[in-house]
Amino acid sequence: MRGEFHIHTTYSDGVLTVPEILEYVKGKEEYLSITDHDIIDGSIEAFELSKKYNIKCIIGVEVSSFYQGDTVHILGYFKNDDHLEVLKNKLKETREQRIKRLYLMKEKLKDIFNIDLDVTEILKVSTITRGTIAREIVRQHSEYSIEYLFKEVIGSDCPAYIPSTKFFTKEAIDLIHQAGGVAVLAHPTLLRSCKPIDIVKMGVDGIEAIYPRNKGNEELEYRKLALENNLFITAGSDFHSFNDIGHANLLTHFLYDDELEIFIKKVME
């Protein structure tokens, strides 16, 4: 028995639709969760389609938050969609902020790099991320690569970078709890100016210990942190598209057996 719990679709910056994801993993794993950036609609769609594909889908979302100058992503998982309205409203505000950020980044791209970006196609996406923007830049300006854009142009601390939100991390965790969910620190290896223990102390329930960009012994360190703080662990590919730099493909990073059962039990409490 296995499952993966960090997947993106066309609702945010993934390239596959929800049905395409479900069709791809059908018969290969028992559990999954769609966790699009700041929108839960795709995960609810998967939840409603799950019986058709004989997969148990956990409703999930990846919430963008801000702490000590760092972008902190919190994964929320829910047993059903009964109490999600307040969370949905807050996520809508965040998505609106992302649209404003798009136009600010468009100005910086033009002023600093002379990249004239037509945002027509970007505005068709429910949640606009830097991945969305980068792919569209490459489509319109083939001399650039996504890797270069994140390294030199729109990555953290780069000239055209603007944070996506001022939604504070503790607020995100509390809101997930109020909606009846469990809160998980996503990809702790990507934290820059704060440490995983700082977020753990805010009251998360779990930590994404199994992640494609972990370095060295980090998985063991995150497992130890979870054990010491009575947290469960999760696993996710952070799938956006196949062979995507910085993320992994579907069906590569799993939670198995006992650890999977612990996670499912916590979500369903």
Side-chain angles (χ1 to χ4, degrees), residues 73-101:
H73 288 179
I74 302 295
L75 293 159
Y77 300 101
F78 309 86
K79 63 180 177 181
N80 54 47
D81 59 352
D82 290 349
H83 306 288
L84 298 179
E85 285 308 310
V86 174
L87 176 62
K88 284 182 177 181
N89 290 337
K90 183 62 182 181
L91 295 178
K92 182 180 178 182
E93 291 178 15
T94 299
R95 294 196 302 274
E96 290 169 350
Q97 178 61 38
R98 285 180 176 273
I99 294 173
K100 294 177 183 177
R101 176 179 77 155

Side-chain angles (χ1 to χ4, degrees), residues 52 165 200 248:
K52 175 181 176 181
T165 181
V200 168

